[in-house]
Structure formats: structure tokens, C-alpha cells
Amino acid sequence: MSPTFLALFAIALWATLASLGTALAHLPPFLLTGLALIIGSVPSWPLVLRDRAAWRVPPRTLALGVYGLFGFHFLLFIALRNAPPVEANLVNYLWPLFMVVLAPVLLPGLSLRPLHLAAALLGFAGAAVAILGTRGGSGAGASAIQGYWGFLPALGSAFIWASYSLWTKRVEAFPTSAIGLFGLVSGVLSLACHALLEAPATLSGKDWLLLVLCGLGPLGAAFFVWDMALKRGDPRRIGILSYLTPLGSTALLLLVTGRPLTWTIALAALLIISAAVMGTRAR
């Protein structure tokens, strides 16, 4: 499978993350992060049972994996409950822009060409139109002021995921199955923090269903195919394709919340798809 297809598959799964995270916002963030990441690691368990080398990675690589998976999702879930979800989504989706712009800084041998920068800015404009276009009539302005500090963890999550995605190319090569180890260790760490820092919570049957969907989808399979895409493709191009995520995520939020489709979403689609095409053509 081509890296473009793999990246698009991961993007489709990640488009569900904001809606699932919002639906589970009543759960303590460490508990939500821990359970979802452990569930997401389950598909790789049979691999390590057959071959222990599937999870054999240097400590530095494991630390990077925990940094990426645990740090990104914990900060994102914090942001979704302390800032208006749609606006927090916008700030979080600065990570594709960070990924394109930081690639020449964090990876040797890459340069940022004018077409990359133009595509990144065009894609960010599309993401802004898609997400900010949902604010009309929602009364989000007042809550945005009250939850202003919640945008800081959203910004942090964006930087963490962009830097993690790029730094995976600087550590010793590791099998994609090791993503399961990253998720398991991150999940156990998060549950330990829950036991120490958060009040116990009771989960309903619906909560467990949403957790399983979240774990096996955007916090599970998406990581594995994203890693394969990064190993096979150009991170600058993949970063541009990532702008499709806020479009899909916003469309799903519109469906879940019952908001109507507006002209701003159509404009956002045009801008984002144009950015994706422009970015994939850049050499």
C-alpha cells in the first residue's frame, strides 16, 4: 500500500477522535487516556506472543513513543474539556502545519521550499474556515473566553504530535508492531496517574463501547498505519495531507451536534483539498 493511502486511512480514523473525546469528556482525563491507549495496543499482542522481538526497542525509542502517544492525547483531552471543543480542535490541528515547517529543522537533509510553505498556509486557512465556520449561532464566544487557558494544552498537543512524527525518523529503525508497546506503556502510566491524582469513576456500558471504538480506531489502528506511512513517505507531503483531518472531524462534529452544513464547509473543502494536491506535487 502506498504511503498516501496509509496516511489517508489514519486521517479518516483520527477524524472521529474529537467527537469521541467530547462524548467521553465526563471521564477523568488520565482514566480516559489510559484505557483507550491500552485497548489500542491489543491488536499487537498476538505479534509479541509469537515473537518477542516485535516489541524490542531501545529505551530512547520507547521514551519517544510514550512522549508522543501519552503526551498528545492527555493534553488533547484536557483541552477538549476546558475550551470549546470546536475551537480547541482548531488549535490542535496546527500540528500538520508544525510538521511541514519543522521538518527541515528536526530532520537532516530536508529543506522547506516555497511550495511547501504555501500549501501549509493554504491548508491551515482551510482548517480555520472549516472549524471557525461552525461557531455561528453556537454561543461559543463567551465560553471561549472562560476556557481560554484550555487552548494552551491544545497547542502543546499539536507540537508534541508533530515533533513525535518527525523524530521517529531520527531514532533507530523499529518495527511498526512496537507502536503497541508505546500504547501499552503509555496507558499503564496514565492509569497509575489516575489512581494517584484523580477520583474514582464509574463507567457505563455506553462509556465502554465508546472507549473500545476510540481505542481500536483513532488510538489504535491509526497509529500503526500512520507509522507505516511515515516510514515509506515524505513527511512534508504527509503533513499536508493531514489537513484533511480537521475537515472530516468538523463534518462529524456537525453531524453529532446537529448543526447544518454551511458554505464555509464547502469553501474549507476546496482550500484543504487544493493544499493536499499542492503539497503532494512539491519536490
Side-chain angles (χ1 to χ4, degrees), residues 57-180:
V57 294
R60 178 188 175 192
T61 303
L62 178 58
L64 177 62
V66 172
Y67 161 79
L69 273 63
F70 171 74
F72 171 78
H73 291 97
F74 175 71
L75 290 180
L76 175 60
F77 292 145
I78 288 288
L80 288 174
R81 69 192 60 203
N82 290 285
V86 172
E87 287 78 3
N89 227 17
L90 170 63
V91 176
N92 174 62
Y93 283 121
L94 284 170
W95 70 259
L97 179 60
F98 286 165
M99 190 172 172
V100 173
V101 174
L102 291 176
V105 178
L106 301 181
L107 296 180
L110 293 182
S111 60
L112 189 64
R113 300 186 180 277
L115 191 57
H116 285 124
L117 185 58
L121 294 176
L122 185 64
F124 179 71
V129 170
I131 297 174
L132 293 180
T134 65
R135 293 182 60 179
S138 65
S143 59
I145 296 175
Q146 295 173 358
Y148 184 77
W149 81 270
F151 292 111
L152 294 178
L155 183 63
S157 69
F159 176 82
I160 285 177
W161 191 253
S163 57
Y164 161 77
S165 297
L166 295 172
W167 276 330
T168 56
K169 286 184 170 288
R170 298 201 62 173
V171 298
E172 182 179 339
F174 60 88
T176 297
S177 56
I179 299 294

Side-chain angles (χ1 to χ4, degrees), residues 1-69:
M1 290 183 287
S2 71
T4 299
F5 174 81
L6 293 170
L8 289 175
F9 183 54
I11 287 166
L13 293 175
W14 279 329
T16 67
L17 181 57
S19 295
L20 290 170
T22 301
L24 293 167
H26 58 282
L27 297 181
F30 278 122
L31 178 63
L32 170 56
T33 305
L35 291 176
L37 286 174
I38 290 175
I39 292 171
S41 73
V42 170
S44 68
W45 292 4
L47 298 175
V48 75
L49 290 176
R50 289 198 302 266
D51 181 10
R52 294 185 179 181
W55 278 6
R56 190 173 300 155
V57 294
R60 178 188 175 192
T61 303
L62 178 58
L64 177 62
V66 172
Y67 161 79
L69 273 63

Side-chain angles (χ1 to χ4, degrees), residues 248-268:
S249 180
T250 302
L252 187 57
L253 281 172
L254 287 172
L255 180 63
V256 170
T257 59
R259 295 180 183 177
L261 179 65
T262 64
W263 65 269
T264 57
I265 300 301
L267 176 60

